[in-house]
């Protein structure tokens, strides 16, 4: 594609350049842990397609309706252990319209996500429900606890998190309740600074 022609010289030259990059500039190894469950993976992909469709419609409506939507950066905690699976989750969230992961705290497993619409408590809770659902599906598809076997390279850059016991890591309990707790600061923030419209509605 670069030279506009297909020839043995171009093919061999490209392979040699690619091999040189792999040998001279290697990427750090990424541990692959757990197992892939095709049934759960299929469900994950179906949910992803539905989320894409719903979010696309919501973002299109936000673009068409009068007034600018209220956006914010929300924090979500996840229980995914593998950095590879966490990366896949972040990639999927970035592909869903209306959300963009801005920062990842790998030690505490926190995601800081820019959400286009947080103009209501319902919208904030919907974000946390969607994130929690994707997280559960990723865990079910790739890293179920009874099949988890940490790689020798697992946690070499994140000892503080990965030496937490499984009991402590799973203490979050019910995911819906956890999502409500995480949403509380953003909801309280909006309640303490009412808009002119909300003041009018109260009167």
């Amino acid at each position: 594609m670069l030279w506009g022609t297909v020839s043995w010289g171009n093919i061999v030259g490209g392979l040699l350049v690619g091999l040189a990059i792999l040998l001279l500039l290697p990427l750090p190894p990424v541990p692959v842990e757990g197992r892939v469950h095709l049934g759960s993976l299929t469900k994950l992909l179906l949910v992803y397609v539905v989320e894409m469709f719903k979010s696309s419609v919501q973002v299109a409506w936000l673009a068409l309706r009068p007034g600018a939507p209220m956006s914010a950066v929300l924090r979500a905690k996840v229980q995914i252990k593998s950095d590879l699976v966490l990366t896949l989750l972040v990639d999927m969230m970035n592909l869903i319209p209306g959300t963009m992961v801005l920062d990842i705290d790998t030690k505490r497993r926190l995601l800081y996500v820019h959400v286009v619409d947080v103009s209501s408590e319902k919208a904030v809770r919907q974000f946390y429900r969607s994130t929690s659902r994707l997280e559960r599906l990723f865990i079910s598809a790739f890293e179920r606890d009874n099949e988890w076997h940490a790689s020798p390279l697992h946690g070499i850059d994140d000892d503080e998190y990965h030496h937490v016991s499984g009991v402590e890591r799973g203490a979050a309990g019910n995911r819906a309740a956890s999502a409500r707790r995480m949403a509380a600061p953003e909801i309280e923030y909006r309640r303490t600074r009412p808009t002119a419209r909300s003041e009018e509605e109260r009167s």
Side-chain angles (χ1 to χ4, degrees):
M1 292 178 66
L2 179 62
W3 297 109
T5 60
V6 178
S7 67
W8 285 110
N10 288 342
I11 294 174
V12 173
L15 292 174
L16 291 176
V17 170
L19 180 62
I21 292 174
L22 289 174
L23 294 176
L24 299 177
L25 302 171
L27 292 173
V30 178
V32 178
E33 301 148 312
R35 293 176 54 189
V36 177
H37 294 268
L38 294 180
S40 298
L41 179 59
T42 301
K43 184 178 180 180
L44 170 63
L45 294 177
L46 291 175
V47 169
Y48 167 67
V49 171
V50 173
E51 289 289 337
M52 281 277 291
F53 177 77
K54 288 172 52 180
S55 299
S56 297
V57 173
Q58 292 169 356
V59 171
W61 168 242
L62 291 174
L64 293 174
R65 77 178 187 182
M70 178 182 176
S71 60
V73 176
L74 303 182
R75 184 181 65 182
K77 183 174 179 61
V78 296
Q79 300 297 319
I80 291 175
K81 298 185 283 289
S82 167
D83 289 340
L84 177 60
V85 177
L86 180 63
T87 301
L88 294 176
L89 171 64
V90 170
D91 289 341
M92 182 171 287
M93 293 179 66
N94 286 339
L95 290 173
I96 295 176
T99 58
M100 176 64 69
V101 179
L102 303 178
D103 193 19
I104 307 172
D105 185 337
T106 56
K107 288 187 177 182
R108 294 184 293 171
R109 259 19 189 194
L110 294 175
L111 305 180
Y112 294 88
V113 188
H114 179 267
V115 183
V116 169
D117 181 26
V118 293
S119 55
S120 66
E121 181 176 333
K122 179 181 178 181
V124 175
R125 293 190 184 280
Q126 175 59 36
F127 161 74
Y128 283 110
R129 281 196 298 268
S130 175
T131 302
S132 180
R133 186 181 187 187
L134 288 176
E135 176 195 2
R136 290 196 305 270
L137 289 172
F138 266 98
I139 291 174
S140 177
F142 297 109
E143 52 175 47
R144 299 179 183 181
D145 287 339
N146 60 341
E147 298 172 348
W148 173 259
H149 299 288
S151 162
L153 297 175
H154 182 76
I156 57 175
D157 297 321
D158 201 6
D159 292 336
E160 180 180 343
Y161 171 79
H162 291 296
H163 281 88
V164 174
S165 69
V167 174
E168 292 172 312
R169 193 175 293 132
N174 186 280
R175 303 302 300 165
S178 178
R180 287 194 292 272
R181 287 195 299 272
M182 289 187 290
E186 287 78 16
I187 296 169
E188 184 62 25
Y189 174 72
R190 290 194 305 281
R191 286 175 175 168
T192 58
R193 53 188 299 272
T195 62
R197 179 176 295 180
S198 62
E199 289 285 18
E200 182 180 346
E201 291 173 351
R202 288 197 187 102
S203 62

